[in-house]
Amino acid sequence: MKANGRTYSVTKTDMKHFLERHSMNHWNGSWAPGKTSQTFFYQGMTIQRLDTIILNGLKQNASKLPSSGFKQFNYTYNNITYVIGVNGTTKRVTQIYPKKTYVNPY
């Protein structure tokens, strides 16, 4: 995924984490550290759609992407706001989740 002249990646481990934490079909029952609630993607979220959301979010927020360290930003796709977290040092997207739980909006 390219944005702002840099290439970013989502590893299989990262994608597994996104799904195990935020997909009802794959949820492993874990919570984010220090959290007492969990948000979930709408039922039917696919890896391909997550890739699209991440890529579009990176492009729209290219000027906010860190060259080092970690940064989060909000990105709205189809009226759903997601938090996307980027590690600028490793050039990896290590976080994506909806700000609230949704039913399928389509």
Side-chain angles (χ1 to χ4, degrees), residues 18-19 21-27 38-53 76-82 96-106:
F18 305 155
L19 295 172
R21 187 62 66 79
H22 299 286
S23 168
M24 289 299 291
N25 292 338
H26 301 93
W27 189 43
Q38 190 70 29
T39 62
F40 293 95
F41 300 125
Y42 66 84
Q43 189 72 22
M45 175 63 84
T46 65
I47 290 172
Q48 293 79 14
R49 186 161 317 264
L50 276 176
D51 280 341
T52 297
I53 293 167
T76 301
Y77 180 86
N78 284 348
N79 297 315
I80 298 174
T81 300
Y82 297 89
I96 182 170
Y97 62 90
K99 289 194 83 157
K100 66 180 189 174
T101 298
Y102 290 89
V103 293
N104 193 339
Y106 304 106

Side-chain angles (χ1 to χ4, degrees), residues 18 58 70-73 83-87 92-97:
F18 305 155
L58 290 174
F70 178 78
K71 180 157 184 163
Q72 292 178 316
F73 58 87
V83 176
I84 299 175
V86 177
N87 182 321
R92 282 178 40 219
V93 177
T94 58
Q95 189 178 63
I96 182 170
Y97 62 90

Side-chain angles (χ1 to χ4, degrees), residues 1-4 54-63 65 73:
M1 300 177 181
K2 287 194 174 241
N4 203 23
I54 292 167
L55 178 59
N56 291 345
L58 290 174
K59 287 180 178 179
Q60 182 175 317
N61 292 279
S63 64
L65 298 176
F73 58 87

